[in-house]
Amino acid sequence: MSRRILVTGAAGALGRLVVQMLHEAGDRVHALDNRREGQWPDAVAFHHADVRKRGFDQALREARPDAVIHLARVRGFEIDPAFRHRVNYEGATRAIDRSIAAGVKKIVLVSRHTVYGALPDQAQFLTEEHPPSAGRTFPEIHDLVAADLYAQGVMWRHPETETVVLRPVNIVGPTSRPLLARYLERPRTFTVAGFDPVYQVIHERDAARAVVGALAPGVRGVFNVVGCGEVPLSVLVEETGGDRIPMPEALIKVLSGRLGFPKIPQGAIDFLKHPCTVDGARFRDETGFEAEVGLAETLASARSRH
Amino acid sequence: MVDDEIRDRVGRLGDLRANPYGYDRWGASPADAARSLVVLRWLYRSYFRAESSGIDNVPGGRVLLVGNHSGQLAYDGMMVCAAMMLDAEPPRFVRAMIERFFAHVAYVNTLMTRTGQLTGVPANCERLLVEEDAAVLVFPEGERGGGRVWKDRYKVMGFGQGFVRLAMRTSTPIVPFGFVGGEEMCPSFSRMKPVARLLGVPYVPLTPTLLPVPLPARVHVAFGEPMRFEGSGEEDDDVVLPAVSQVEEAVASLLDRGLRLRGGAFFG
């Protein structure tokens, strides 16, 4: 039986892959985005709307979805923090609330493993029980942590709706441009001298498969999603074809946002110093999900952009 | 540099397996472990003229190595790792639970990660024991022991309970050891608390060499018989504390044995 599924942020890299996968599986897909770029298959209904506005409510009425996948968000630290907060927090909470009010029975919020934070005294391979602690040194991503926690509150307040929060590790691939990929695609990539944390990566195709897998009936709760393995940041930079320039942390702080250097908050520097790794066992046990793309191919897929 | 003995020893480390990029999931690298073993072997055999006794007591499979902490800069941890890689048969790779402070220090952080040493948080320790049947080195005195001053030499400074609860929960045998030599290689006469506070570190040792460069004191590592404690790890303190005392007493008597076997601190 074909499902009706509304995907927000559908024009993003992960969104397009998810829409494509659902479409190929025979689902009736409603793609929603406030960007118009790109082509959509004929069977996909595109809604040009913003999750924060009435256009989203109208899309909900038209689509009457069985499930909503919320991917819409903005990234980066150059943009106005208040705007980030409106889109990433208020947009997410509104999308969830309106979906529940419209009787949607399944909501998937795609969060990130970064909500745990990269802290020097933190364990590795964190389970979902570990409290998201990024706020301690990384207030700039408070919006993402808050949206993640809000969705968990919804699980208690609305048990009639299956709510899923996914926390995938760093997504890389030929089309994905998350912060890590944008960091890696610079021809010269700076790292913090004297530190080389372990990074977990997942291929964008596997990440999209995980999102689709979360739609399975009965799946609810918070899940880390891991890919095919982990490598030190230095290997990640070298394997993706960048020149690695280790710089003292003090110099990075001075240069941040100056002389053409990207703006990099302390919390982001921490991610270049300390590992933030997660345990994906719960999602694997619950849904049988295993990453299909190997480490070598995942790293190579990020290289192809150079 | 890396000769046949080191290659053989590191090649036989069952608990250090790397992915095709040369690293395990914690970021440890067999190649770097081999390079560091070159230095450790020189320190162990030539500089500290170290010996071990009772190392056959260390069972295969998961195990917690628990002992006294001394030496100001973790030379004791390095020497126990060296003993397990050089004297034990088959050689064992040891994961030390290190002071959280070191994670902040550039280069020290990378060196620790590459050689398989991890920030001492219980979740890391439990995962290593349960999922990798690892040999994990714990100094339950923490920096109280590491930064100890001369008047407290060879005194067990009081262990926490965490390691016993973890051993119970994960059915892990505890092998106590006494580390002899750390007190003379780096005697400290003050922890210089005010200076430490200014620098944001746990302690700053006031040593004869001014810098914490170790003197060539002779080292002996005395390993005891494995101790097993049954339980879930959720027992009341009055159940766990006697077990902690047993381990403390075992370490204290192993220190006596080690001191006897070692003889003179610098000569003999």
Side-chain angles (χ1 to χ4, degrees):
Chain A
M1 198 189 80
S2 107
R3 303 170 291 190
R4 294 185 305 274
I5 295 162
L6 176 63
V7 182
T8 74
L14 185 58
R16 285 188 178 277
L17 287 166
V18 168
V19 167
Q20 183 73 26
M21 253 176 224
L22 291 169
H23 169 63
E24 283 168 10
D27 291 313
R28 176 81 178 114
V29 188
H30 292 262
L32 183 140
D33 208 298
N34 63 351
R35 296 165 286 188
R36 268 191 195 281
E37 59 238 49
Q39 297 289 309
W40 298 97
D42 285 343
V44 171
F46 179 71
H47 302 260
H48 182 236
D50 189 317
V51 286
R52 297 170 296 152
K53 309 265 169 67
R54 274 197 297 278
F56 176 69
D57 306 1
Q58 181 59 29
L60 272 176
R61 282 190 288 270
E62 286 174 19
R64 289 179 300 109
D66 301 304
V68 170
I69 297 172
H70 182 64
L71 298 169
R73 60 185 204 152
V74 292
R75 290 180 301 240
F77 305 113
E78 277 86 9
I79 54 178
D80 176 14
F83 175 70
R84 251 193 84 122
H85 190 265
R86 279 201 300 277
V87 175
N88 293 350
Y89 181 61
E90 290 166 18
T93 57
R94 187 176 188 278
I96 291 169
D97 289 347
R98 292 300 160 110
S99 299
I100 284 172
V104 174
K105 290 290 171 249
K106 180 110 198 184
I107 298 171
V108 179
L109 174 82
V110 179
S111 179
R112 285 291 187 274
H113 77 302
T114 43
V115 295
Y116 294 110
L119 302 166
D121 50 2
Q122 180 168 277
Q124 291 186 48
F125 306 107
L126 301 167
T127 64
E128 291 83 354
E129 267 74 37
H130 191 89
S133 308
R136 193 167 107 196
T137 61
F138 206 169
E140 290 83 357
I141 62 169
H142 169 77
D143 48 355
L144 304 180
V145 178
D148 180 294
L149 296 177
Y150 184 86
Q152 288 192 59
V154 167
M155 292 173 197
W156 292 100
R157 283 188 278 124
H158 298 283
E160 75 283 4
T161 297
E162 282 182 0
T163 305
V164 179
V165 174
L166 295 183
R167 295 174 179 161
V169 297
N170 302 288
I171 301 171
V172 298
T175 62
S176 285
R177 297 187 78 247
L179 272 186
L180 180 74
R182 284 197 274 164
Y183 163 77
L184 290 174
E185 74 188 7
R186 308 172 76 82
R188 283 186 211 87
T189 307
F190 64 91
T191 56
V192 183
F195 296 89
D196 196 12
V198 167
Y199 267 64
Q200 289 170 305
V201 288
I202 185 170
H203 193 274
E204 58 184 18
R205 212 160 64 225
D206 280 327
R209 281 179 51 242
V211 173
V212 172
L215 293 174
V219 177
R220 59 165 74 214
V222 186
F223 300 97
N224 298 328
V225 181
V226 302
C228 42
E230 47 280 307
V231 287
L233 178 61
S234 59
V235 173
L236 190 55
V237 171
E238 280 148 24
E239 288 297 314
T240 53
D243 277 336
R244 192 165 66 91
I245 319 263
M247 286 165 57
E249 183 176 4
L251 184 60
I252 295 175
K253 284 180 187 164
V254 170
L255 288 177
S256 171
R258 299 193 180 98
L259 303 171
F261 204 76
K263 191 172 169 189
I264 171 162
Q266 180 61 46
I269 296 176
D270 287 343
F271 273 86
L272 303 178
K273 290 172 65 184
H274 305 294
C276 171
T277 52
V278 299
D279 182 334
R282 184 192 279 181
F283 192 60
R284 185 190 62 216
D285 294 345
E286 181 86 14
T287 66
F289 174 82
E290 293 278 0
E292 287 175 351
V293 186
L295 197 49
E297 191 186 332
T298 303
L299 297 181
S301 75
R303 180 178 349 164
S304 51
R305 73 181 73 249
H306 283 289
Chain B
M1 284 284 291
V2 177
D3 55 23
D4 286 346
E5 184 194 20
I6 302 256
R7 257 190 297 278
D8 167 64
R9 290 267 147 194
V10 173
R12 286 197 288 138
L13 292 173
D15 11 33
L16 179 58
R17 278 174 293 267
N19 66 18
Y21 296 94
Y23 299 90
D24 79 351
R25 62 173 174 163
W26 307 92
S29 140
D32 287 326
R35 278 191 281 273
S36 73
L37 188 54
V38 173
V39 178
L40 287 188
R41 184 179 58 181
W42 177 79
L43 282 173
Y44 187 76
R45 290 189 182 150
S46 306
Y47 193 74
F48 294 127
R49 296 154 288 159
E51 285 177 349
S52 65
S53 60
I55 202 161
D56 295 339
N57 285 323
V58 181
R62 67 181 72 166
V63 61
L64 273 174
L65 305 173
V66 176
N68 60 309
H69 202 11
S70 56
Q72 312 301 333
L73 262 187
Y75 300 109
D76 50 359
M78 294 182 224
M79 290 305 99
V80 173
C81 292
M84 292 300 294
M85 285 201 278
L86 296 169
D87 291 352
E89 205 49 61
R92 282 298 289 277
F93 189 62
V94 176
R95 311 273 187 167
M97 294 283 109
I98 60 171
E99 177 60 42
R100 294 168 190 215
F101 162 73
F102 289 114
H104 293 276
V105 186
Y107 298 102
V108 174
N109 178 303
T110 307
L111 178 68
M112 292 296 163
T113 305
R114 290 283 198 271
T115 54
Q117 315 308 310
L118 295 166
T119 300
V121 290
N124 283 346
C125 188
E126 184 160 350
R127 188 173 291 274
L128 281 163
L129 294 173
V130 172
E131 295 181 2
E132 303 183 13
D133 282 328
V136 180
L137 170 61
V138 182
F139 293 110
E141 294 165 326
E143 48 90 13
R144 281 174 299 147
R148 77 175 65 213
V149 292
W150 180 247
K151 70 174 170 60
D152 292 329
R153 65 190 176 279
Y154 296 120
K155 195 193 282 178
V156 176
M157 304 287 280
F159 288 0
Q161 326 178 354
F163 76 97
V164 170
R165 292 184 183 278
L166 191 61
M168 288 171 147
R169 187 160 65 242
T170 58
S171 308
T172 303
I174 291 173
V175 170
F177 69 85
F179 184 83
V180 173
E183 315 288 5
E184 296 89 358
M185 70 173 66
C186 229
S188 163
F189 301 99
S190 167
R191 291 160 64 95
M192 299 201 288
K193 272 282 172 198
V195 184
R197 257 197 302 276
L198 273 179
L199 296 175
V201 299
Y203 56 87
V204 178
L206 177 65
T207 65
T209 49
L210 292 180
L211 294 170
V213 174
L215 303 168
R218 292 166 68 228
V219 160
H220 188 97
V221 193
F223 291 93
E225 307 241 333
M227 307 171 79
R228 292 184 168 83
F229 300 103
E230 307 279 314
S232 65
E234 298 301 323
E235 286 79 359
D236 281 342
D237 284 1
D238 53 2
V239 179
V240 176
L241 289 174
V244 175
S245 303
Q246 277 183 50
V247 180
E248 287 177 355
E249 284 157 24
V251 170
S253 74
L254 287 162
L255 277 172
D256 290 342
R257 185 181 95 195
L259 280 164
R260 212 169 48 241
L261 288 172
R262 181 189 65 166
F266 291 94
F267 308 100

